Amino acid sequence: MGGVEGRVKEEVGKEKEIWFLQSSFNAPPTVRIVHSGHACNIEEERYTERVYTIREGETLELTCLVTGHPRPQIRWTKTAGSASDRLQDSSVFNETLRIANIQRHQGGRYYCKAENGLGSPAIKSIRVDVYYLDDPIVTVHQSIGEAKEQFYYERTVFLRCVANSNPPVRYSWRRGREVLSQGSDKGVEIYEPFFTQLQGETKILKLKNLRPQDYANYSCIASVRNVCGIPDKNVLFRLTNKTASPTIKLLGDDPVVVNPGQTVTLVCIASDREPTPTLTWVRNSETLPEKSVLNGGTLTLPAITSEDAGVYSCVANNNVGNPAKKSTTVVVRALKKGRFWITPDPYHNDDNIQIGREVKISCQVEATPPEELMFSWLKNGRALRSSERMVITQTDPDVSPGTTNLDIIDLKFTDFGTYTCMASLKGGGIPEISIDVNISSTTVPPNLTVPRGKSPLVTQEGDTVELQCLVSGKPKPIILWSRADKEVSMPDGNMQTESYDGILRIVNVSREMTGSYRCQTSQYNGFNVKPREAIVELIVQYPPTVEPVFTEIRQGLGRTFPMSCRVLRAHPSRVLKYEWRLGSRLLNAGQFDSQDETEYSVRGLSREGYGEYTCDIINEAGAGRCSFLVTGKAYPPEFYYDTYSPLWQNRPRVYDFKLQWTQMNPNAVDRIMAYRLGIRQTGQERWWEQEIPIEGMIQRGELITYNLTELIKPEAYEVRLTPITRFGEGDSTIRIVKYSAPVNPHLREFQCSFEEEPICMFTQEKSDNFDWTRHSAATRDTKYTPNTGPSADRSGSKQGFYMYIETSRPRLEGDKARLLSPTFNIAPKNPYGNTNSAYCFSFYYHMYGKHIGTLNAYLRLKGQTMTESPIWTLSGNQGDRWRQAKVNIHPTSAFQMVLEGIRGPGIEGDIAIDDVTIEEGECGDPPPNNLRSCASSTPLPIWQLCVTLLLALFVHRR
């Protein structure tokens, strides 16, 4: 870029555009929290901690202003927060925490932490208090007590008002339009607020021994005294002689027993009470199924399923007394999970079925409702009835419910055959379940073995493996798999896994699955004998796990350095060998003995030695790899963001920018010979590039400065900086350069006569009523208001420009227009020496007209709102001439000047300003009487010192 120039080490006497400061500019972080958004109030708390009050639903914005080099990383956190309250790390350039539509649970203390590896992290905090006021609720409670020995009743009513809020609520009561207070009515007592954890602050109105006039409309008004602009809220309750707590009844049966697919309708009817109750339904004290249809007190459940079964409750509430509740149970008929088992003669130790012995066949199903379950037995398809030798029992108290048994006494050859257990429900509509059990001479108990060569079973991580147990017997039982070596779940997540063929199949086996697995017979669908079991050992091999997986090593030519690769774990743990390579070229290989790491050293690094080194550590299952990328790339430079007054203007249409940076780890690689500087306007694609040569070695923390010139106002630029060594280009860093305050530290003053359209980067306040206008006397039309406003600029030229407020319609009395100066970006301390912290702010004003209002001057800290009082103020007609105002300011950080014009009672009230200056040092002439300096002769409270404690300017001397 033609206008971006630089020279290094120019001859003595010429100004150098690039230079090095030999002292280290690494600096630990500092941090300060400023706020914007919709704060209701900011309170100082203790020393530096503050309370930020905001209304619920508004937007919270907190900005963490940091200094330090390298640029600190910023993290926002919140105390005592749940996992959902934790905040993500913000990037270097995103220092603002923004929470839109803030809710009450998001209040708390927020911490901003900045760290850059130097010294301790800088931490500041601010407490956010969220204000809200919910609608109040009135609940009514009645008591009727009988007095002893007297025949009268006392009826007392309590009205309780509850509203959740922050800050605490103030309550008041009204009867009709009458304001009720303690002592105003003998029949009324008011209990002062008390706090309960569930209900918050409450206030109770007691009406003792109700009178006719007590039947009326009562209003409870909840107020937080308009804090944060929150208006009062109220609720109306009508008390009549019919006011009573609700009662309800349910129509229909309890329980309601239905078949799947049917439509169920539950009807709830509330009594005629005042107020009219609201009816709600819940299932098992939780929400209703999604398909539920509600119509007043009627609940409809279409196409009901077993999952819809449960206890349904109707709740009626009218805020009088306790809610009324009635419940009914919905039962959905179902039959499922039929199973059987055969028990040989329990009086002998045989596990076989033998002629002349006893055999019991058991059959079990799950039934809903269980009392409707019915069983029947068939033999070879024909109905079987209970007899002396064939004993059928419907339930057995010694086993699970829903069980039927068939006892065959003195088994005969003719008893062999197929026995069928039939299960059904009395209500019908549900398909029957039938279970066939075959009893024959071939019926034998189960046997379980592990095939030869199937234990231990060796596999590799990621494979699919099948564990097998051979099972025999008739009927063939179900096999249950579980872990035998530890109490952990199986790969499918259950503690036991069923298998009908004796095989357990595991897909994508992992190293954690190594261990012992037990297979055993289940008593169901087989013999009810002692379970048979066997053990299968599974060994999962996996490649070595190594460290480091990846490391970048930056080294200069000719250097010597080691690389090390370590084994963390492997199976089998006997590692076979290691191999070091550069690219595909083998460097070294060998066997592991007892050590768990291998090392390779590069001696006298050459250009051919740059590249990716790998170390493979290999066992039977595969290889684990350590990778090392060896490069001579220089680390990225780190821009210095805390440069005081980095920007200045030397001509009206262009500006210069002082770019400063340090080099990260400059001695890690070869000497940096130059930087490649790239610059482009933001939004453009083309980069302009040039090289900045560097002489000598750069020291760690050394500050390098380069002046960017001929930048066009008010464009922003993207700047890219790349270090260059013998190896080539290093890592780049990019930053944005923006035009802001036109402060020239060498001139030591700021001047603006409003002659050009950009008006010296002055801006209009967005929150005021109207804007200042730029005009000259030659272009301003004064025929409608000839008796106000200037007839020339301050120098007497009719072509010269100035700023003024136009007070003609539609402007109203008291309307304000605010003009903001640029922000003067000033560092908190001057590295070049002491600086006078006093400045003279001056401007010319013209206040002519019978309706002149007020002209104020304020000093504003960056990120702060307007101070309470102006540093200069003047009101009323001052005549048709320009006058000068001067005021001393003593800032201590970055600031803006604010000029505020306030419209008077009529249209002849135009106020004008011209020739605004800020100069270093106190004002030469004493200010006129109407000017107010912050240097007060009498002590003021600290919060009233409008300049010295709030604001700062830092300009360095040449």
Side-chain angles (χ1 to χ4, degrees):
M1 183 172 179
V4 182
E5 303 174 353
R7 294 185 298 277
V8 185
K9 308 277 188 181
E10 295 187 20
E11 58 189 86
V12 177
K14 296 183 179 180
E15 181 180 5
K16 299 176 184 177
E17 292 191 344
I18 175 168
W19 70 88
F20 298 83
L21 299 179
Q22 296 302 318
S23 61
S24 172
F25 265 77
N26 289 333
T30 68
V31 63
R32 184 165 57 93
I33 296 177
V34 298
H35 53 81
S36 57
H38 301 80
C40 305
N41 189 29
I42 311 295
E43 296 178 8
E44 298 298 327
E45 179 188 359
R46 299 188 180 91
Y47 302 102
T48 59
E49 303 298 320
R50 288 171 296 170
V51 180
Y52 179 97
T53 304
I54 189 169
R55 182 173 174 172
E56 187 173 49
E58 301 287 2
T59 298
L60 171 72
E61 281 193 6
L62 299 175
T63 301
C64 203
L65 300 183
V66 298
T67 65
H69 186 76
R71 189 68 168 170
Q73 296 288 329
I74 296 170
R75 184 181 184 187
W76 283 97
T77 56
K78 180 171 180 267
T79 58
S82 63
S84 61
D85 286 333
R86 292 173 188 162
L87 304 167
Q88 300 297 320
D89 292 355
S90 58
S91 67
V92 173
F93 304 108
N94 183 17
E95 300 169 344
T96 298
L97 168 67
R98 188 175 190 275
I99 302 177
N101 190 27
I102 191 168
Q103 299 301 301
R104 60 195 66 180
H105 69 273
Q106 293 173 300
R109 188 168 294 281
Y110 287 84
Y111 285 81
C112 173
K113 179 180 180 182
E115 54 186 335
N116 63 357
L118 298 174
S120 300
I123 301 176
K124 280 288 188 294
S125 70
I126 188 168
R127 184 160 64 84
V128 176
D129 204 1
V130 182
Y131 279 1
Y132 58 90
L133 174 60
D134 291 342
D135 290 329
I137 298 173
V138 168
T139 57
V140 181
H141 297 271
Q142 305 177 73
S143 65
I144 300 175
E146 181 178 353
K148 293 181 179 180
E149 299 180 358
Q150 296 185 31
F151 298 98
Y152 73 88
Y153 291 88
E154 178 191 85
R155 188 180 184 194
T156 301
V157 172
F158 298 89
L159 276 65
R160 173 181 293 166
C161 191
V162 180
N164 293 317
S165 75
N166 182 32
V169 178
R170 176 184 294 166
Y171 297 95
S172 58
W173 286 95
R174 289 186 181 181
R175 178 167 52 198
R177 295 184 178 181
E178 176 192 2
V179 177
L180 297 177
S181 59
Q182 184 68 26
S184 64
D185 186 330
K186 293 183 178 180
V188 175
E189 291 184 18
I190 298 177
Y191 293 86
E192 288 306 312
F194 64 92
F195 187 83
T196 62
Q197 189 170 3
L198 295 178
Q199 295 179 320
E201 227 180 30
T202 64
K203 193 163 190 176
I204 296 176
L205 182 70
K206 180 182 179 182
L207 306 174
K208 189 175 181 181
N209 197 12
L210 280 179
R211 304 161 301 176
Q213 64 265 35
D214 292 332
Y215 294 113
N217 291 332
Y218 290 85
S219 298
C220 171
I221 298 96
S223 173
V224 290
R225 296 162 289 285
N226 203 30
V227 171
C228 251
I230 299 176
D232 295 350
K233 295 189 177 182
N234 65 78
V235 61
L236 178 69
F237 186 88
R238 180 174 177 80
L239 182 66
T240 71
N241 56 7
K242 292 185 178 180
T243 299
S245 56
T247 61
I248 56 174
K249 62 180 178 178
L250 296 181
L251 304 184
D253 300 329
D254 182 25
V256 180
V257 182
V258 294
N259 291 333
Q262 290 183 336
T263 296
V264 176
T265 301
L266 305 176
V267 180
C268 178
I269 299 176
S271 57
D272 184 17
R273 297 294 177 93
E274 288 187 7
T276 303
T278 58
L279 299 177
T280 56
W281 282 92
V282 294
R283 180 186 66 159
N284 300 334
S285 299
E286 297 176 357
T287 56
L288 297 172
E290 290 185 5
K291 60 185 178 182
S292 304
V293 179
L294 273 172
N295 183 12
T298 301
L299 171 65
T300 303
L301 304 170
I304 199 165
T305 64
S306 297
E307 289 73 23
D308 301 327
V311 178
Y312 287 78
S313 301
C314 175
V315 181
N317 187 16
N318 66 352
N319 289 344
V320 179
N322 296 320
K325 180 179 179 180
K326 289 290 181 68
S327 302
T328 186
T329 303
V330 175
V331 178
V332 182
R333 289 191 178 92
L335 278 177
K336 56 185 177 180
K337 204 169 186 177
R339 51 192 184 180
F340 74 92
W341 59 96
I342 303 169
T343 306
D345 189 346
Y347 302 106
H348 299 78
N349 291 328
D350 288 329
D351 286 342
N352 294 310
I353 293 177
Q354 297 182 20
I355 299 295
R357 300 283 178 86
E358 180 183 343
V359 174
K360 184 196 305 185
I361 305 172
S362 301
C363 174
Q364 185 187 60
V365 296
E366 294 181 8
T368 305
E371 61 269 14
E372 289 190 4
L373 179 62
M374 298 187 303
F375 286 109
S376 61
W377 285 89
L378 306 178
K379 178 184 179 185
N380 296 328
R382 300 179 64 181
L384 188 65
R385 290 183 173 82
S386 185
S387 63
E388 290 185 359
R389 212 170 54 80
M390 297 277 187
V391 181
I392 298 174
T393 55
Q394 289 292 333
T395 56
D396 189 338
D398 297 330
V399 297
S400 301
T403 305
T404 181
N405 297 316
L406 172 61
D407 279 298
I408 305 175
I409 311 299
D410 187 15
L411 183 67
K412 299 183 181 301
F413 182 80
T414 56
D415 295 329
F416 290 150
T418 299
Y419 292 84
T420 304
C421 166
M422 302 289 294
S424 62
L425 294 177
K426 293 178 183 177
I430 303 298
E432 294 180 331
I433 290 179
S434 63
I435 303 168
D436 292 334
V437 185
N438 192 51
I439 301 294
S440 70
S441 58
T442 60
T443 301
V444 294
N447 188 37
L448 201 61
T449 58
V450 177
R452 179 174 296 179
K454 291 295 185 177
S455 181
L457 191 63
V458 180
T459 187
Q460 294 190 0
E461 196 167 36
D463 289 349
T464 296
V465 65
E466 290 186 346
L467 279 61
Q468 185 177 7
C469 284
L470 294 178
V471 59
S472 62
K474 190 173 182 182
K476 194 174 183 179
I478 296 173
I479 301 300
L480 299 177
W481 285 94
S482 60
R483 293 293 295 263
D485 54 343
K486 58 184 75 172
E487 281 292 326
V488 294
S489 61
M490 297 291 287
D492 63 0
N494 297 314
M495 295 306 293
Q496 286 187 332
T497 300
E498 289 186 352
S499 169
Y500 290 89
D501 57 2
I503 294 177
L504 175 64
R505 191 169 188 264
I506 305 175
V507 179
N508 192 21
V509 68
S510 65
R511 63 190 68 181
E512 292 80 13
M513 297 177 186
T514 295
S516 301
Y517 290 78
R518 177 187 295 109
C519 62
Q520 62 182 13
T521 58
S522 169
Q523 67 163 330
Y524 304 116
N525 295 7
F527 270 78
N528 183 24
V529 294
K530 184 178 180 181
R532 275 60 166 162
E533 67 177 45
I535 300 294
V536 178
E537 295 287 341
L538 176 64
I539 299 174
V540 181
Q541 296 182 342
Y542 53 90
T545 301
V546 297
E547 67 174 9
V549 176
F550 176 82
T551 302
E552 183 186 33
I553 299 176
R554 303 197 185 203
Q555 292 288 342
L557 292 171
R559 301 189 186 178
T560 298
F561 58 93
M563 293 173 286
S564 178
C565 185
R566 183 182 181 190
V567 182
L568 297 178
R569 53 189 174 274
H571 193 84
S573 57
R574 181 175 58 87
V575 177
L576 298 180
K577 61 179 181 179
Y578 60 84
E579 294 178 352
W580 283 93
R581 296 178 185 272
L582 173 57
S584 59
R585 179 164 60 95
L586 181 65
L587 300 175
N588 189 16
Q591 300 281 339
F592 266 95
D593 296 325
S594 58
Q595 75 272 25
D596 58 0
E597 65 180 340
T598 174
E599 185 177 283
Y600 180 81
S601 292
V602 176
R603 303 186 182 277
L605 180 63
S606 63
R607 287 192 174 274
E608 295 74 23
Y610 287 120
E612 185 174 16
Y613 291 77
T614 58
C615 174
D616 289 334
I617 300 181
I618 307 162
N619 68 358
E620 295 176 16
R625 171 169 289 187
C626 296
S627 295
F628 304 88
L629 180 61
V630 178
T631 175
K633 289 176 63 174
Y635 284 96
E638 296 177 305
F639 282 115
Y640 189 62
Y641 284 84
D642 298 331
T643 305
Y644 68 96
S645 301
L647 181 146
W648 71 94
Q649 58 183 19
N650 51 9
R651 289 200 297 277
R653 301 188 182 278
V654 299
Y655 68 99
D656 299 348
F657 193 92
K658 184 181 297 180
L659 195 68
Q660 293 186 302
W661 70 91
T662 58
Q663 177 59 44
M664 180 189 295
N665 300 333
N667 300 320
V669 294
D670 289 327
R671 184 182 72 83
I672 295 172
M673 300 181 295
Y675 286 94
R676 177 165 289 116
L677 173 71
I679 186 169
R680 66 180 178 185
Q681 283 188 18
T682 54
Q684 302 293 322
E685 297 207 0
R686 184 179 179 187
W687 288 89
W688 296 89
E689 291 189 334
Q690 71 178 83
E691 285 194 4
I692 305 173
I694 301 294
E695 294 182 6
M697 291 292 295
I698 299 175
Q699 301 302 315
R700 187 181 185 93
E702 194 170 12
L703 190 65
I704 308 169
T705 298
Y706 183 83
N707 291 339
L708 304 177
T709 61
E710 304 292 329
L711 305 180
I712 301 171
K713 296 178 183 176
E715 300 294 335
Y717 290 84
E718 194 172 0
V719 179
R720 180 176 64 199
L721 204 58
T722 309
I724 302 173
T725 64
R726 287 190 294 169
F727 178 82
E729 291 191 354
D731 291 336
S732 300
T733 299
I734 293 179
R735 72 164 293 180
I736 302 296
V737 168
K738 293 182 179 180
Y739 181 71
S740 56
V743 177
N744 187 339
H746 300 291
L747 295 178
R748 299 184 183 173
E749 66 178 355
F750 167 78
Q751 295 180 339
C752 185
S753 299
F754 307 110
E755 296 303 318
E756 294 185 11
E757 183 58 40
I759 58 172
C760 314
M761 298 306 292
F762 272 84
T763 57
Q764 307 281 356
E765 174 75 85
K766 294 180 180 180
S767 62
D768 57 8
N769 305 114
F770 65 111
D771 289 343
W772 287 80
T773 306
R774 176 178 174 267
H775 260 315
S776 67
T779 60
R780 180 171 177 241
D781 186 0
T782 60
K783 69 178 182 178
Y784 294 110
T785 52
N787 300 317
T788 186
S791 57
D793 76 348
R794 200 276 302 179
S795 66
S797 169
K798 289 187 178 296
Q799 282 70 38
F801 285 86
Y802 54 85
M803 303 295 290
Y804 85 105
I805 60 169
E806 175 59 67
T807 57
S808 301
R809 293 182 178 87
R811 300 277 65 86
L812 301 174
E813 183 175 4
D815 281 1
K816 297 178 181 179
R818 292 196 183 109
L819 191 66
L820 310 181
S821 77
T823 299
F824 295 90
N825 295 318
I826 307 303
K829 60 182 180 180
N830 185 357
Y832 294 89
N834 294 326
T835 298
N836 191 337
S837 61
Y839 295 86
C840 179
F841 171 60
S842 69
F843 59 93
Y844 283 84
Y845 60 91
H846 190 282
M847 301 173 67
Y848 170 57
K850 63 180 181 181
H851 299 140
I852 290 292
T854 301
L855 176 62
N856 292 323
Y858 294 87
L859 199 52
R860 179 186 290 183
L861 178 68
K862 183 179 180 181
Q864 291 281 346
T865 55
M866 190 78 71
T867 53
E868 290 186 1
S869 57
I871 61 171
W872 184 96
T873 184
L874 187 62
S875 300
N877 186 358
Q878 304 297 318
D880 186 7
R881 62 172 177 163
W882 288 93
R883 300 170 182 263
Q884 187 180 23
K886 290 185 178 182
V887 58
N888 291 323
I889 57 176
H890 302 81
T892 55
S893 67
F895 70 92
Q896 283 179 291
M897 302 306 302
V898 182
L899 289 163
E900 178 186 66
I902 303 177
R903 200 254 198 191
I907 62 175
E908 295 181 22
D910 298 344
I911 299 174
I913 58 171
D914 201 0
D915 290 351
V916 179
T917 63
I918 300 175
E919 296 179 277
E920 186 176 10
E922 295 198 356
C923 300
D925 300 325
N929 292 335
N930 61 292
L931 303 181
R932 291 190 2 203
S933 169
C934 284
S936 176
S937 60
T938 58
L940 294 176
I942 191 167
W943 60 269
Q944 290 182 332
L945 294 177
C946 60
V947 179
T948 55
L949 297 185
L950 290 178
L951 310 170
L953 171 65
F954 218 96
V955 178
H956 93 276
R957 303 184 180 204
R958 296 182 73 176

